[in-house]
Amino acid sequence: MDVSGGRGQPRPGNDESPDRTGTRPPAEPGHPTDERPAAPEEPRPPAAEPDPPVPDAGPDGGREKPPPADTGTGRHLAHSGTGRTPPPQRPQEKQRGGLLMGRPFGVPVYVAPSWFLVAILITWVFGGQIDRVLPELGAVSYLVSLFFAVAFYASVLVHELAHTIAALRFKLPVRRIQLQFFGGVSEIEKEAETPGREFVLAFVGPLLSLVLSGLFYLALLAVDPSSVPGVLLAGLMISNLIVAVFNLLPGLPLDGGRMLRAVVWAISGKPMTGTIAAAWVGRALAVAVLIGLPLLTQSGVLGSDAVDNVGMDTVMDALLAAILAAIIWTGAGNSLRMARLREHLPELRARNLTRRAVPVETDTPLSEALRRANAAGARALVVVDPDGIPLSLVREAAIVGVPEHRRPWVPVGGLAQDITDGMHVPAELAGEDLLDALRATPATEYLVVEDTGEIYGVLSAADVERAFVKAMARPS
């Protein structure tokens, strides 16, 4: 909002905000849609550098009363702590998901380093199977197996693109698609608005995998099953069928879990109830995988010969089951935490977290500015021109860095950060809209303004982070 016409004294802000603990506004994690049991991202600490946008949720309706006068936190701006604020840091490439492969539909597709490990593993295992079926190929069988690994993950990408297209159709932003150890994940940043859309969004992935499996089956009818194309088509048919069936299991974080969540949400009318039900089913599913998969493999139900003794294959089956169970269990727990975060996000309100501020002119000595602030019970300084138009914000970290005996000779203008358009935060912003605004323009402090352009106070990113952490710790 343009507040260049704002004049006069600022209205009192809320000085009951917590102490500084950092400068990074919270980042709401993506809403993954998996074709494999990958856990949703853990709640990340707030990032100073803007991540992709969080879900676009509107602020709480209604205007609040101006915050009360200072109730006494025992802290003044002149003695606001000794911690220094680190400058915002640009995310590292590895945080972005790995190797960028392209941007279909405008969504970046990354290949995580763990994918290469899986590709090697698939090449080794499937290559041995091809060698038994087509021994005349020799070492070429492993080259064919490598082609199968790439083709399989291309199928996984198609699965994820189905989720992505559905999300974009529902106007839900997608942060990225990542191919990784056990498959892929589409990070959809906003929750579906209705249980019906949530169901469709989850179901399209397994549906596409089933369609691919059927297409590979039809192609297999036209070739010799004992040929290289026949072996590849059979492998892709079976693998896509497994992906579809596994993801239809009714437990978070699998697609079937999201479908179950949508059903419970539709029946109860509460998305949180659906999340709790699907998450606990997911945990039960993790236990079933941990115990049942080795037993099924050893008994020969899955197509292999029954095994009476414990060998390397049995150990590998148990290890695979443990990894899958851990991923499902962790993903279910993360889904609960994400749901709690979404439930508490509306509590983050710019008006409630704003610090009281006093206006000072550029050449005002720091000591005098601090005297005025402490006299008014304020904890922020806004540098204004002679007409009262806000120009910049005095950084708290810069104040702390000036020794007390030098403050009478240091003008506040030298400690201030110019106010850009993105640093104007409407006082009515709340929840995900507030986080979106802060991440769009990384800064340590923001100027909070009324709809009229009048100064309301200063919002510290550290206060938002502290409120974010408190909201996450509070039970639903």
Side-chain angles (χ1 to χ4, degrees), residues 222-244:
V223 301
D224 181 4
S226 300
S227 65
V228 171
V231 172
L232 286 175
L233 290 172
L236 291 171
M237 177 192 70
I238 295 173
S239 61
N240 277 277
L241 181 61
I242 292 174
V243 166

Side-chain angles (χ1 to χ4, degrees), residues 364-386:
T364 304
L366 178 57
S367 59
E368 171 61 16
L370 294 176
R371 185 195 66 79
R372 297 181 192 177
N374 292 333
R379 295 183 58 205
L381 301 172
V382 178
V383 177
V384 298
D385 67 8

Side-chain angles (χ1 to χ4, degrees), residues 209-273:
S209 293
L210 286 173
V211 170
L212 286 176
S213 181
L215 291 177
F216 288 129
Y217 171 74
L218 294 177
L220 180 60
L221 297 178
V223 301
D224 181 4
S226 300
S227 65
V228 171
V231 172
L232 286 175
L233 290 172
L236 291 171
M237 177 192 70
I238 295 173
S239 61
N240 277 277
L241 181 61
I242 292 174
V243 166
V245 172
F246 188 80
N247 273 275
L248 287 173
L249 295 177
L252 286 172
L254 302 175
D255 292 331
R258 295 189 60 198
M259 293 163 62
L260 174 62
R261 174 182 182 272
V263 172
V264 177
W265 176 5
I267 295 174
S268 67
K270 299 178 180 180
M272 187 64 182
T273 302

Side-chain angles (χ1 to χ4, degrees), residues 118-149 231-232:
V118 176
I120 293 173
L121 181 61
I122 292 176
T123 301
W124 175 57
V125 174
F126 193 66
Q129 296 178 352
I130 294 178
D131 187 54
R132 286 193 292 270
V133 177
L134 302 172
E136 65 275 11
L137 291 180
V140 178
S141 61
Y142 291 94
L143 183 61
V144 175
S145 180
L146 177 61
F147 180 82
F148 167 78
V231 172
L232 286 175

Side-chain angles (χ1 to χ4, degrees), residues 139-161:
V140 178
S141 61
Y142 291 94
L143 183 61
V144 175
S145 180
L146 177 61
F147 180 82
F148 167 78
V150 174
F152 169 67
Y153 269 86
S155 301
V156 171
L157 178 59
V158 172
H159 176 115
E160 294 304 327
L161 286 175

Side-chain angles (χ1 to χ4, degrees), residues 275-403:
T275 301
I276 293 174
W280 278 105
V281 172
R283 287 176 169 174
L285 180 62
V287 175
V289 168
L290 179 63
I291 299 174
L293 184 59
L295 293 178
L296 290 175
T297 304
Q298 194 171 21
S299 65
V301 173
L302 298 182
S304 59
D305 295 332
V307 179
D308 294 329
N309 60 334
V310 177
M312 182 56 67
D313 289 343
T314 304
V315 173
M316 292 299 295
D317 292 338
L319 179 61
L320 177 62
I323 294 175
L324 289 175
I327 292 175
I328 297 174
W329 183 280
T330 303
N334 286 343
S335 297
L336 285 174
R337 284 191 287 274
M338 292 305 100
R340 185 170 70 239
L341 168 62
R342 292 178 184 276
E343 189 176 52
H344 290 308
L345 270 182
E347 300 172 12
L348 301 181
R349 303 178 63 84
R351 187 177 294 278
N352 293 347
L353 298 172
T354 297
R355 297 180 176 186
R356 186 175 292 104
V358 295
V360 293
E361 295 189 2
T362 303
D363 57 354
T364 304
L366 178 57
S367 59
E368 171 61 16
L370 294 176
R371 185 195 66 79
R372 297 181 192 177
N374 292 333
R379 295 183 58 205
L381 301 172
V382 178
V383 177
V384 298
D385 67 8
D387 295 326
I389 297 176
L391 301 175
S392 56
L393 301 176
V394 179
R395 294 176 293 114
E396 185 176 359
I399 295 175
V400 174
V402 179

Side-chain angles (χ1 to χ4, degrees), residues 408-427:
W409 292 274
V410 176
V412 294
L415 307 175
Q417 178 182 11
D418 291 340
I419 300 174
T420 63
D421 289 340
M423 293 171 63
H424 295 118
V425 175

